[in-house]
Amino acid sequence: MGKDRDPNDDSTDVALIARWKAGDERAATELVERHAPALARFAISLGERTDVDEVVQDTFVRAFGSIDSFRADSALRTWLFTIERRLILDRRRSERRRRDDTTLDEADAATEFDALDGLVAEEAQARVTRAVERLSRLQREVFLLRVNEGLSYKEIAEVVGSTEGAARVHYHNAMRAVKELLYV
Amino acid sequence: MFDCANVEMRELLPELAAGTLDAPTRARVEAHVATCTECASELETLRLVRGAFASAPAVDTRRIVAALPKPPIVAPLPRPQVAPRRWMDWRVAAALTMVTVGGLSVVVSQRRQQNGEDGHAAALPRAETTLVVPPPVRLAVDTQAPAPRPQAPRVPSATIRAEKAQLSFGGGVDDLDRASLEALMGVLDEIERAPVAPSAEPGRVTVLPIISDDTR
């Protein structure tokens, strides 16, 4: 497909994991520094507001606690995204139970996306942000994983628990919706 | 707002925006975008989205690392096994050393005797040698040793002393009276008590029985 993705990325992650398993704690620091920013971005795209730091930390703790279940046939970042997504959904469910809130589904996903307001200043970016806010949660996840993190449809399907074809459809629907909001 | 019909080019737009395409593919896609208004519009949208969501709140990596579980305890790598030294090895080495040194000393001694350099050894009364105990190195030495010296016909010393004690064995031990039997036992005891004198030649010992005058 002509992608020029750094071929050493995945092998570097595998090597760092092996070093950490061998007792090298500096390898854990390197892994966190490599993936924490992307996890923070993904947490925001999932609607997290103030607990981004905590969500990223919990994701790493959970990942390192079950590192033996990680198989190198997928990228570590994809695996981390999967864990983070599940973590956020679990937190949201327990929060919902606690507050006896209304059911959270894709229709009202936009209301939970205010955290992005403070991240952008320029008008064009503010418009883009608002357009993305109006996407359904699943569309937004797929769209941002594709555009921001550069994941393939196969990887996106792995993260969101869907199929490659469905991920492709979600992406193109999201792109069409954003363009309509921006240019119409 | 229409989508481009060239699906292949469209699918590569996110990678073009991310800058992760290889050079030939990138040139191909850019050439297409230059002539396609739909793809140019979509590429602009992708760049805006990337700009809007590129920043992320700073994450305290140190705090995260501190909260991580400790790496599993790994047993230290086994050191390379060194074969235990067995005391038998030292015994073998010592035996080899003894054989070598002993053999060399015998060779040197015999050469000296042949060359007449060792006056003391040459002056020894060889005829007095009555008992030869070959050491383990004897076999190696014999290959270079001269022909064995003629030895005097060996007469059992017990017989001589029995004769001197005027003992008769004609009818066997049962025929001896008590006095004769005690005399014979005394002679045998003297032979057993005789000291063993070292020989000038290695491996040879000389038995020098000390016989009192009254038994001669």
Side-chain angles (χ1 to χ4, degrees):
Chain A
M1 184 128 158
K3 286 186 188 177
D4 199 16
R5 209 167 172 178
D6 186 357
N8 293 324
D9 270 0
D10 295 344
S11 58
T12 303
D13 286 337
V14 172
L16 287 170
I17 291 169
R19 274 174 50 195
W20 180 77
K21 282 182 176 178
D24 184 358
E25 293 193 45
R26 288 174 302 177
T29 306
E30 285 186 51
L31 283 166
V32 170
E33 286 173 349
R34 278 167 65 86
H35 300 293
L39 288 175
R41 278 196 302 271
F42 187 53
I44 289 173
S45 75
L46 288 172
E48 280 302 311
R49 293 180 163 189
T50 56
D51 295 337
V52 173
D53 218 29
E54 192 181 326
V55 165
V56 173
Q57 177 179 310
D58 289 351
T59 302
F60 277 113
V61 169
R62 194 176 283 192
F64 275 82
S66 58
I67 200 78
D68 286 334
S69 64
F70 168 66
R71 290 178 180 79
D73 52 359
S74 66
L76 177 68
R77 187 169 292 185
T78 305
W79 187 62
L80 290 172
F81 282 148
T82 309
I83 293 173
E84 186 178 44
R85 182 177 186 272
R86 204 174 302 143
L87 193 72
I88 289 173
L89 292 179
D90 289 346
R91 284 164 64 99
R92 210 162 282 165
R93 276 193 206 100
S94 60
E95 206 172 292
R96 201 165 52 228
R97 249 182 256 121
R98 202 169 52 241
R99 290 191 294 184
D100 196 22
D101 207 348
T102 53
T103 306
L104 180 70
D105 56 21
E106 293 188 13
D108 58 13
T111 58
E112 63 187 32
F113 205 64
D114 307 330
L116 296 171
D117 290 345
L119 297 177
V120 290
E122 295 181 17
E123 175 58 24
Q125 286 186 343
R127 279 179 26 225
V128 169
T129 304
R130 280 196 294 273
V132 173
E133 281 176 9
R134 298 183 67 149
L135 297 175
S136 73
R137 178 176 55 82
L138 189 55
Q139 280 182 341
R140 192 170 60 244
E141 280 179 42
V142 171
F143 186 69
L144 292 179
L145 285 173
R146 178 88 180 110
V147 178
N148 270 6
E149 310 304 334
L151 265 59
S152 66
Y153 293 122
K154 187 182 175 188
E155 290 170 322
I156 292 169
E158 194 179 320
V159 172
V160 302
S162 180
T163 63
E164 195 174 334
R168 189 189 302 271
V169 170
H170 283 307
Y171 168 78
H172 286 294
N173 286 342
M175 173 59 81
R176 195 174 297 117
V178 169
K179 281 197 287 188
E180 283 175 2
L181 287 169
L182 283 177
Y183 303 114
V184 175
Chain B
M1 184 72 44
F2 299 102
D3 294 333
C4 174
N6 190 332
V7 177
E8 185 199 354
M9 291 295 116
R10 233 186 123 200
E11 290 294 348
L12 290 173
L13 291 177
E15 277 77 26
L16 180 64
T20 56
L21 290 176
D22 58 46
T25 311
R26 187 175 131 195
R28 226 159 36 91
V29 179
E30 283 177 341
H32 170 78
V33 171
T35 60
C36 177
T37 53
E38 287 84 9
C39 283
S41 168
E42 190 162 319
L43 182 62
E44 179 59 24
T45 304
L46 288 168
R47 285 178 174 152
L48 283 171
V49 172
R50 286 183 62 84
F53 293 90
S55 61
V59 179
D60 187 352
T61 55
R62 203 177 300 175
R63 191 170 65 92
I64 294 172
V65 172
L68 293 178
K70 295 293 172 195
I73 298 171
V74 180
L77 291 175
R79 292 184 177 179
Q81 292 280 332
V82 178
R85 288 181 179 172
R86 292 176 301 180
W87 65 276
M88 279 294 290
D89 296 343
W90 295 103
R91 273 182 54 174
V92 171
L96 287 172
T97 307
M98 290 287 288
V99 167
T100 307
V101 172
L104 282 172
S105 63
V106 168
V107 170
V108 170
S109 173
Q110 285 181 346
R111 283 185 180 171
R112 281 186 171 184
Q113 286 176 9
Q114 287 171 358
N115 296 336
E117 293 173 5
D118 192 348
H120 176 69
L124 282 176
R126 298 172 194 276
E128 289 183 8
T129 304
T130 57
L131 180 62
V132 175
V133 180
V137 295
R138 186 69 183 170
L139 290 175
V141 173
D142 282 347
T143 56
Q144 296 179 353
R149 298 186 189 93
Q151 293 185 357
R154 300 182 65 181
V155 179
S157 55
T159 305
I160 297 170
R161 290 177 182 111
E163 284 173 357
K164 287 186 177 179
Q166 295 179 343
L167 299 174
S168 171
F169 290 93
V173 176
D174 294 338
D175 295 337
L176 296 175
D177 58 4
R178 183 178 180 82
S180 300
L181 192 58
E182 285 180 353
L184 176 59
M185 293 299 292
V187 171
L188 291 174
D189 287 344
E190 285 176 356
I191 292 172
E192 281 185 357
R193 286 195 298 269
V196 178
S199 170
E201 291 184 53
R204 294 188 177 205
V205 292
T206 303
V207 179
L208 300 172
I210 302 171
I211 301 174
S212 58
D213 290 337
D214 57 348
T215 59
R216 286 184 182 176

